[in-house]
Amino acid sequence: MKSNYKKVILGIVLLGLVIMGVFAYNVWAVLFAPNTNFETDTYEVFIPSDADYNEAFLIIADAVENRDDLHTTAVKKKYHENVKAGRYLIKKGSSNNDVINTVRSQNMPIKVTFNNQERLENLAGRIASQIEPDSLALLNAMRDPEFLNENGLDANTALSIYLPNSYETYWNTTAAGFRDKMFAYHQQFWNKERRAKAAKQDLTPTEVYTLASIVQKETAKVDEMPRVAGVYLNRLSRGIKLDADPTVIYAKKKSENDFDQQIKQVLYKHLEIDNPYNTYRFSSLPPGPIVTPDLTAVNAVLNPEKHDYLYFVADVENFGYHKFAKTLAQHNRNAAAYRRWIAKNNR
């Protein structure tokens, strides 16, 4: 009798162990077994700022094999009560536990890049393709009158705080947050040394940026930028109009509110456009930049080549570069050679 009793007890214990083992395995399988369905090393997930759990779950679930187990894990870890926006990288072979831990606390920064943008509208569109806020939200933040007024800016100079580069930020940063970050970088760039160099050229940082935008449009050759900058600084210091073709093109686009048009050649009639950006008609610098210049162009204005040149025209013998002249007579000869080349080649 005792033997049978022991057997029953032993059987119950073994059954209990089996049940506990199955339960433990199921818990392990739900929480810790690999559950991803992609072949790349990582899977990028973007959770919008206004997403509720259902929306966030559907986005995350695209990366896993077993959605039911993912949901069970999410509820167990209370993710359904605390969804967080951001960009997350789920690693190949992650368990449900890993996935939920990732989207709870590992918002990953991104690199935002932009270069030569003509207007705030273009810049906003470029940035909107890389972070969560749309172009309208970004444009409104960039144009915010209170922000501009507080920082000595206006609608024409607002573009000058955006220095082309690659910047680290979070995908779900707000439009105002991105703008403020760019302004902080702008302030950091314009340190005491650079401000002193600007003052030496009798320019403010905003004016340096505006002149650099013209230099950027005049030449793509980095090694020529300091020479081109020197020409314009010479003209400014002598009270001579800049006569910069890129400003005429910008003035035409702005006057006609058509920045999509392609203008291959500046004609004499364009020089009469009545717009303050037209430096053939109006003295000194235009009201603001005509593009976001590269830092190489900004540095060219801060560190110009010292010379006596006042004019330049495209060099048909060395494409991409220019011929420089100290006198109008010299320049006229260079310009005549350029016009002959244009006529001969039907340009």
Side-chain angles (χ1 to χ4, degrees), residues 84-158:
K84 294 183 178 179
R87 168 182 176 262
Y88 303 94
L89 295 179
I90 298 172
K91 295 179 181 179
K92 180 182 178 181
S94 290
S95 66
N96 291 318
N97 189 65
D98 295 331
V99 170
I100 298 304
N101 284 343
T102 295
V103 298
R104 282 203 315 180
S105 61
Q106 297 177 30
N107 189 6
M108 300 294 292
I110 61 171
K111 289 285 187 181
V112 172
T113 303
F114 63 92
N115 52 8
N116 310 131
Q117 307 296 316
E118 279 189 314
R119 301 173 299 156
L120 287 176
E121 290 89 340
N122 303 107
L123 178 62
R126 173 75 181 117
I127 300 304
S129 68
Q130 301 174 73
I131 63 176
E132 183 181 15
D134 62 27
S135 58
L136 181 58
L138 285 162
L139 187 58
N140 287 338
M142 292 171 179
R143 285 176 168 172
D144 179 45
E146 185 176 348
F147 170 81
L148 296 178
N149 186 57
E150 285 178 357
N151 295 293
L153 300 165
D154 58 31
N156 292 314
T157 58

Side-chain angles (χ1 to χ4, degrees), residues 37-247:
N37 63 5
F38 50 89
E39 295 301 320
T40 54
D41 291 336
T42 58
Y43 185 92
E44 202 170 33
V45 166
F46 295 93
I47 307 298
S49 295
D50 59 353
D52 60 13
Y53 172 68
N54 289 332
E55 182 179 355
F57 177 79
L58 290 175
I59 293 170
I60 301 164
D62 282 340
V64 304
E65 290 282 358
N66 190 320
R67 295 187 171 202
D68 291 338
D69 285 354
L70 178 67
H71 171 65
T72 299
T73 305
V75 172
K76 185 179 291 290
K77 297 178 75 69
K78 299 190 182 302
Y79 176 72
H80 65 300
E81 298 176 355
N82 190 23
V83 172
K84 294 183 178 179
R87 168 182 176 262
Y88 303 94
L89 295 179
I90 298 172
K91 295 179 181 179
K92 180 182 178 181
S94 290
S95 66
N96 291 318
N97 189 65
D98 295 331
V99 170
I100 298 304
N101 284 343
T102 295
V103 298
R104 282 203 315 180
S105 61
Q106 297 177 30
N107 189 6
M108 300 294 292
I110 61 171
K111 289 285 187 181
V112 172
T113 303
F114 63 92
N115 52 8
N116 310 131
Q117 307 296 316
E118 279 189 314
R119 301 173 299 156
L120 287 176
E121 290 89 340
N122 303 107
L123 178 62
R126 173 75 181 117
I127 300 304
S129 68
Q130 301 174 73
I131 63 176
E132 183 181 15
D134 62 27
S135 58
L136 181 58
L138 285 162
L139 187 58
N140 287 338
M142 292 171 179
R143 285 176 168 172
D144 179 45
E146 185 176 348
F147 170 81
L148 296 178
N149 186 57
E150 285 178 357
N151 295 293
L153 300 165
D154 58 31
N156 292 314
T157 58
L159 192 65
S160 66
I161 70 170
Y162 301 95
L163 297 164
N165 212 331
S166 290
Y167 299 95
E168 189 172 274
T169 190
Y170 287 98
W171 173 78
N172 59 310
T173 187
T174 64
F178 176 79
R179 177 206 64 200
D180 292 345
K181 182 181 285 286
M182 292 300 98
F183 185 70
Y185 279 120
H186 167 270
Q187 294 293 79
Q188 182 180 344
F189 178 83
W190 285 108
N191 56 25
K192 186 176 180 180
E193 180 184 357
R194 290 193 177 97
R195 287 179 182 273
K197 287 184 176 182
K200 188 176 180 181
Q201 307 302 335
D202 199 25
L203 299 173
T204 66
T206 300
E207 289 171 334
V208 169
Y209 193 97
T210 297
L211 183 53
S213 72
I214 298 174
V215 172
Q216 178 74 51
K217 283 290 190 177
E218 287 284 17
T219 181
K221 303 296 185 181
V222 172
D223 59 332
E224 191 183 57
M225 285 181 175
R227 179 168 290 191
V228 171
V231 170
Y232 286 130
L233 288 167
N234 286 345
R235 295 178 76 92
L236 284 172
S237 66
R238 301 183 194 191
I240 304 172
K241 294 198 302 297
L242 296 185
D243 290 354
D245 286 1
T247 67

